[in-house]
């Protein structure tokens, strides 16, 4: 029974990581560099949702939408003006540039909102108890949102012309260019969607905890771990990776004290990468 | 150009040079005393750091307005320690090596102070801190460190008395991974045992996790009747929310820095209802406390602002007493103005006047008497307990 509760706890912890991990992996699939600026976009989304919820009085779903749109717009603009010029110089330069960008953006948030912790104006619900297993309604919703987002993204990539163009650029940018696909337009779109998802994930984390300018920075390593374990570049992989990290960390509590939880997540990365260097589901985008 | 001949031009140049040199000479005579402030403006301590900074700067401004120390102005150089040991060490090195400060004050988290202290004693820089872990003053700091915060032992013993006084016997400790984690649990346990109780479970968790459900489940296995939450604000909020979700309604206690009013405002009132907090109390009846409140233009100040007031005052008075601003002078002379039979003074400015009149002084601070042991701990202090009702902190008692 204890193990079952730990698995449920792990699934719920994992779902929190899943959505930003989908964002990170989508960005990587198309733009082919690890965009660490995801951290600040999680923060921006969390604060955009906070303003929508507390200042404008919007309920949770429209606030999540605001988090997505604002973080997406900032993602598009920051990519257009900051990271795009760096891409020609190689992925390491761009990845380092994204670290610089994330610190700059995080500090802009700090300048506007200050350092204080803030919370959303939403009621907290008690756990459901099903056969002695406790399930948090909020986190169950997170799981549903993660699955819906994944399904929407999946449908977008497979069924729409723009989605197919994105996959084409992800698979072979040169060939895509020859076929007349506008790689710049695809990059803009993927920056918007990827960072929008980061913002959505940031707000979902904030719903469970509190928010401050470091909300994204504190989570980015776990998000990165989830994306890598699942297969960097694979969208279902990001979800699987997040759940594996979540459940793995929780199950470790059967034999270890909680102080070593994060180490277990990263040992999981080492193990997965040793046996499956491309992650659990490989690197195909869908 | 017709108005200028060569002689006039020479005279004007000489006058300009002299005018330019004058402030330089004045500056050289009274070159400012640089004081390093290294405090958490961000991270878990971000709620307390900025307020401590304000309290220190208020004292220095008052001293500067009264003519400074040893004829020199105090200049503060502020660095953010980010509540992060690695960032703090980098900032401390910058303060010591680039800014040449002889004293650093303001570190908050014990892990940060433990990292910064060796940098200080190696460079003969004096450090004043609010960190409470027992291990801090046991470091081989050669006297270069004092703290105004009671040790984990003093605090845990007081908390254990408080908890036992309410009749609780089975205490679960759920706390963050920090230097004070295990010592606090041990001290709580030893005092509770003398009262017929004990710590029945102890779970240490990692910071920055979005949920602590499993940690709480682990702590609850031993069926405690009281929860002692030993974390910082960001993680304590998560623990409190998870406790509420899990429908665990046991009485609970945490350090006041883990649930300041600003943190309570981030959660629905039902989540924090009944949480008890304790903190080393500012000495609210003292003259130093009243003057600090006045100086900061506040209605009241908390233990951290009071301690920050005391660091600034102690540093200034020690420099004046020693007629030397070096770290070694601070180390050798601080106890000459902080304790003993000298005239009691309650502010830095009053102390400076008394020293100028050739008197011996004993600074009595806003946070307490500021009497230090050989290893830099304070001898004792008061504790103030509060309880949360409808999302607001209400006074419970002062012990």
């Amino acid at each position: 029974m204890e193990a079952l509760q730990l698995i449920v706890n792990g699934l719920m912890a994992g779902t929190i990581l899943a959505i930003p991990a989908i964002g990170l992996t989508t960005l990587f699939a198309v733009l082919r560099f690890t965009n660490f600026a995801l951290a600040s976009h999680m923060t921006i989304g969390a604060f955009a949702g906070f303003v929508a919820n507390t200042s404008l009085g919007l309920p949770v779903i429209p606030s999540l939408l605001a988090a997505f749109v604002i973080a997406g717009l900032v993602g598009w603009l920051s990519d257009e003006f900051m990271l795009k010029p760096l891409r020609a110089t190689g992925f390491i330069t761009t990845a380092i540039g994204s670290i610089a960008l994330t610190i700059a953006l995080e500090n802009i948030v700090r300048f506007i909102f200050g350092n204080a912790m803030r919370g959303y104006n939403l009621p907290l619900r008690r756990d459901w108890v099903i056969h002695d297993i406790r399930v948090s309604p909020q986190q169950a919703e997170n799981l549903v949102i993660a699955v819906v987002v994944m399904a929407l993204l999946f449908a977008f990539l497979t069924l729409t012309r723009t989605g197919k163009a994105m996959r084409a650029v992800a698979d072979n940018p040169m060939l895509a260019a020859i076929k007349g696909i506008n790689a710049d337009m695809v990059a803009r779109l993927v920056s918007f969607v990827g960072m929008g998802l980061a913002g959505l994930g940031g707000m979902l984390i904030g719903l469970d905890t509190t928010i401050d300018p470091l909300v994204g920075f504190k989570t980015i390593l776990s998000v990165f771990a989830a994306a890598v374990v699942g297969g960097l570049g694979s969208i279902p992989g990001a979800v699987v990776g997040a759940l594996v990290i979540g459940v793995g960390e929780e199950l470790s509590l059967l034999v270890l004290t909680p102080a070593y939880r994060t180490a277990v997540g990263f040992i999981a990365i080492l193990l997965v990468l040793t046996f499956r260097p491309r992650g659990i589901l490989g690197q195909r985008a869908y | 150009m017709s108005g200028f001949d060569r002689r006039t031009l020479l005279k004007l140049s000489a006058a300009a040079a002299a005018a330019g040199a004058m402030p330089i000479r004045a500056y050289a005579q009274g070159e400012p005393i640089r004081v390093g402030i290294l405090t958490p403006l961000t991270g878990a301590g971000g709620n307390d750091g900025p307020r401590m900074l304000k309290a220190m700067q208020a004292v220095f401004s008052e001293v500067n307005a009264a003519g400074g120390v040893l004829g020199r102005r105090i200049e503060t150089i502020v660095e953010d320690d980010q509540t992060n040991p690695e960032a703090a060490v980098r900032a401390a090195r910058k303060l010591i090596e680039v800014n040449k400060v002889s004293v650093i004050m303001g570190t908050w988290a014990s892990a940060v102070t433990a990292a910064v202290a060796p940098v200080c004693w190696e460079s003969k820089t004096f450090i004043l801190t609010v960190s409470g872990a027992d291990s801090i003053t046991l470091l081989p700091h050669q006297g270069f460190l004092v703290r105004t915060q009671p040790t984990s032992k003093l605090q845990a013993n007081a908390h254990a008395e408080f908890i036992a006084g309410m009749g609780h016997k089975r205490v679960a400790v759920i706390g963050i991974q920090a230097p004070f984690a295990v010592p606090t649990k041990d001290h709580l346990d030893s005092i509770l045992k003398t009262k017929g109780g004990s710590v029945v479970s102890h779970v240490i968790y990692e910071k920055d996790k979005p949920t602590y459900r499993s940690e709480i489940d682990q702590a609850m296995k031993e069926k405690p009747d009281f929860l002692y939450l030993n974390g910082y604000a960001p993680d304590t909020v998560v623990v409190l929310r998870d406790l509420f979700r899990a429908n665990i309604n046991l009485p609970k206690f945490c350090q006041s820095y883990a649930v300041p009013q600003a943190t309570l405002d981030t959660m629905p009132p039902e989540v924090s209802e009944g949480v008890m907090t304790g903190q080393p109390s500012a000495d609210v009846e003292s003259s130093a406390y009243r003057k600090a409140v006045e100086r900061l233009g506040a209605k009241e100040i908390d233990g951290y602002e009071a301690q920050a007031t005391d660091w600034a005052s102690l540093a200034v008075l020690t420099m004046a007493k020693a007629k030397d601003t070096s770290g070694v002078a601070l180390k050798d002379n601080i106890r000459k103005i902080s304790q003993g039979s000298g005239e009691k003074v309650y502010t830095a400015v009053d102390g400076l006047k008394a020293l100028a009149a050739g008197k011996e002084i004993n600074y009595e601070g806003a946070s307490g008497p500021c009497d230090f042991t050989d290893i830099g701990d304070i001898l004792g202090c008061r504790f103030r307990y509060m309880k949360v009702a409808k999302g607001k902190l209400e006074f419970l008692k002062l012990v």
Side-chain angles (χ1 to χ4, degrees):
Chain A
M1 191 54 91
E2 188 192 347
L4 194 58
Q5 180 71 60
L6 286 175
I7 290 170
V8 170
N9 290 357
L11 288 174
M12 287 186 289
T15 55
I16 298 180
L17 302 177
I19 292 172
I22 294 174
L24 182 71
T25 218
T26 310
L27 287 163
F28 182 84
V30 177
L31 302 177
R32 292 286 149 191
F33 76 96
T34 315
N35 195 336
F36 290 102
L38 196 91
S40 53
H41 289 80
M42 288 169 74
T43 301
I44 288 166
F47 275 89
F50 172 79
V51 171
N53 174 241
T54 57
S55 303
L56 307 179
L58 298 179
V60 65
I61 297 293
S63 300
L64 284 168
L65 199 65
F68 177 84
V69 172
I70 300 293
L73 283 175
V74 174
W76 163 48
L77 289 172
S78 61
D79 186 75
E80 189 73 23
F81 294 107
M82 299 290 156
L83 299 181
K84 195 168 131 190
L86 298 180
R87 277 205 278 278
T89 55
F91 79 95
I92 291 184
T93 313
T94 321
I96 291 172
S98 74
I99 296 175
L101 175 65
T102 207
I103 293 170
L105 288 175
E106 182 190 296
N107 278 286
I108 292 173
V109 173
R110 179 169 292 132
F111 181 74
I112 298 170
F113 292 94
N115 264 326
M117 290 196 303
R118 290 155 196 274
Y120 296 93
N121 186 16
L122 294 167
L124 204 63
R125 283 170 290 171
R126 304 271 191 186
D127 287 350
W128 297 321
V129 181
I130 306 161
H131 295 295
D132 277 353
I133 298 294
R134 289 184 294 103
V135 180
S136 154
Q138 169 69 55
Q139 286 159 333
E141 275 174 27
N142 284 359
L143 181 62
V144 172
I145 292 171
V147 172
V148 169
V149 165
M150 193 180 75
L152 285 176
L153 204 59
F154 192 74
F156 173 69
L157 288 176
T158 47
L159 302 179
T160 68
R161 202 176 158 75
T162 324
K164 284 178 189 162
M166 279 167 72
R167 276 165 48 209
V169 175
D171 277 348
N172 190 334
M174 202 177 284
L175 195 60
I178 292 168
K179 294 294 273 181
I181 293 172
N182 184 342
D184 278 351
M185 198 44 113
V186 168
R188 281 176 204 137
L189 190 65
V190 84
S191 295
F192 177 79
V193 173
M195 289 310 187
L197 290 173
L200 187 66
M203 178 166 169
L204 287 175
I205 290 171
L207 287 178
D208 256 5
T209 57
T210 53
I211 59 168
D212 66 72
L214 290 173
V215 65
F217 189 76
K218 287 191 283 199
T219 333
I220 185 74
L221 266 184
S222 300
V223 171
F224 187 61
V228 170
V229 165
L232 199 53
S234 159
I235 290 161
V239 178
V240 171
L243 298 182
V244 165
I245 294 278
V247 173
E249 284 189 12
E250 296 293 326
L251 282 179
S252 72
L253 299 182
L254 287 172
V255 285
L256 288 173
T257 75
Y260 300 104
R261 225 161 64 154
T262 303
V264 172
F266 286 90
I267 291 166
I269 297 188
L270 288 176
L271 284 177
V272 169
L273 295 187
T274 305
F275 295 106
R276 284 191 68 88
R278 286 169 175 267
I280 295 173
L281 295 190
Q283 294 188 337
R284 281 179 66 88
Y286 57 97
Chain B
M1 271 310 275
S2 62
F4 285 108
D5 61 12
R6 190 173 59 90
R7 227 172 266 278
T8 317
L9 194 67
L10 272 176
K11 274 184 200 162
L12 277 174
S13 309
M22 258 186 324
I24 293 170
R25 201 163 14 168
Y27 189 75
Q29 275 175 353
E31 191 176 329
I33 299 168
R34 294 205 178 91
V35 169
I37 295 181
L38 177 62
T39 203
L41 304 178
T42 55
N47 182 56
D48 291 324
R51 290 181 304 111
M52 296 195 292
L53 169 64
K54 216 171 134 195
M56 288 180 261
Q57 287 181 324
V59 172
F60 292 132
S61 300
E62 198 173 271
V63 168
N64 283 339
V69 185
L70 305 173
R72 294 162 66 184
R73 214 165 46 78
I74 302 271
E75 181 189 327
T76 54
I77 296 155
V78 182
E79 289 290 333
D80 177 12
D81 77 22
Q82 301 175 27
T83 329
N84 172 343
E86 189 264 332
V89 166
R90 250 185 298 131
R93 284 196 189 284
K94 184 242 170 196
L95 286 171
I96 295 165
E97 288 159 16
V98 179
N99 304 114
K100 310 283 182 205
V101 303
S102 61
V103 55
I104 286 178
M105 49 183 84
T107 56
W108 181 90
S110 294
V112 165
T113 305
V116 168
V119 180
C120 289
W121 78 64
E122 292 293 334
S123 59
K124 302 197 186 318
T125 306
F126 197 68
I127 176 167
L128 296 118
T129 176
V130 75
S131 302
D134 292 350
S135 54
I136 301 278
T137 43
L138 300 176
L139 294 167
H141 59 74
Q142 304 154 34
F144 283 100
L145 181 149
V146 296
R147 63 169 156 205
T148 42
Q149 179 86 341
T151 57
S152 298
K153 185 175 181 179
L154 266 173
Q155 295 190 52
N157 289 358
H159 298 162
E161 297 275 356
F162 175 69
I163 294 165
M166 291 184 287
H168 300 292
K169 303 275 184 211
R170 300 176 60 78
V171 177
V173 180
I174 308 175
I176 196 165
Q177 173 81 293
F180 55 73
V182 174
T184 300
K185 188 269 289 178
D186 290 342
H187 298 314
L188 280 172
D189 194 42
S190 67
I191 295 288
L192 285 169
K193 280 196 169 123
T194 65
K195 314 268 176 193
S198 68
V199 171
V200 291
S201 57
H202 182 214
V203 178
I204 297 178
Y205 57 73
E206 279 186 305
K207 63 174 187 170
D208 296 343
K209 291 284 172 190
T211 168
Y212 294 111
R213 305 168 67 85
S214 301
E215 285 83 345
I216 291 170
D217 289 347
Q218 247 183 19
M220 291 303 293
K221 271 193 226 161
E222 301 299 327
K223 307 212 178 324
D225 64 6
F226 193 89
L227 299 175
Y228 184 97
L229 309 181
N230 198 20
Y232 292 131
D235 43 281
T236 301
V237 173
V238 179
V239 172
L240 287 173
R241 292 172 76 102
D242 282 341
L243 283 168
F244 176 83
R245 288 196 182 108
N247 218 347
I248 296 167
N249 298 312
L250 291 178
K252 37 198 170 289
F253 173 89
C254 43
Q255 292 271 13
S256 68
Y257 54 70
V259 281
Q261 191 57 51
T263 303
L264 290 173
D265 294 341
T266 66
M267 51 189 150
E270 58 272 24
V271 175
S272 58
E273 188 66 21
V275 171
M276 285 169 274
T277 71
Q279 68 174 115
S281 177
D283 196 354
V284 291
E285 284 148 26
S286 79
S287 163
Y289 176 84
R290 281 196 301 279
K291 287 187 173 161
V293 168
E294 214 173 279
R295 187 181 303 121
L296 287 167
K299 236 165 66 189
E300 56 175 6
I301 59 170
D302 73 2
Y304 292 105
E305 289 161 310
Q307 292 183 54
T309 300
D310 292 342
W311 304 327
S313 309
L314 287 165
V316 162
L317 293 173
T318 310
M319 287 173 182
K321 172 75 183 166
K323 297 193 171 54
D324 185 348
T325 61
S326 71
V328 175
L330 283 156
K331 166 184 88 104
D332 290 340
N333 292 283
I334 187 161
R335 288 169 185 78
K336 293 183 187 164
I337 56 95
S338 67
Q339 50 222 73
S341 55
E343 180 182 317
K344 287 191 176 182
V345 295
Y346 303 96
T347 66
V349 170
D350 289 350
L352 289 172
K353 280 182 198 151
L355 286 171
K359 294 178 186 163
E360 293 295 323
I361 60 164
N362 172 9
Y363 174 73
E364 296 284 297
S367 66
C370 295
D371 295 344
F372 299 103
T373 64
D374 289 345
I375 59 168
D377 282 328
I378 51 167
L379 291 168
C381 84
R382 295 171 172 220
F383 287 89
R384 171 203 279 241
Y385 296 98
M386 313 277 277
K387 190 171 185 173
V388 181
K390 296 195 173 75
K392 301 281 172 215
L393 281 164
E394 288 180 357
F395 178 75
L396 210 55
K397 64 176 172 178
L398 191 68
V399 180

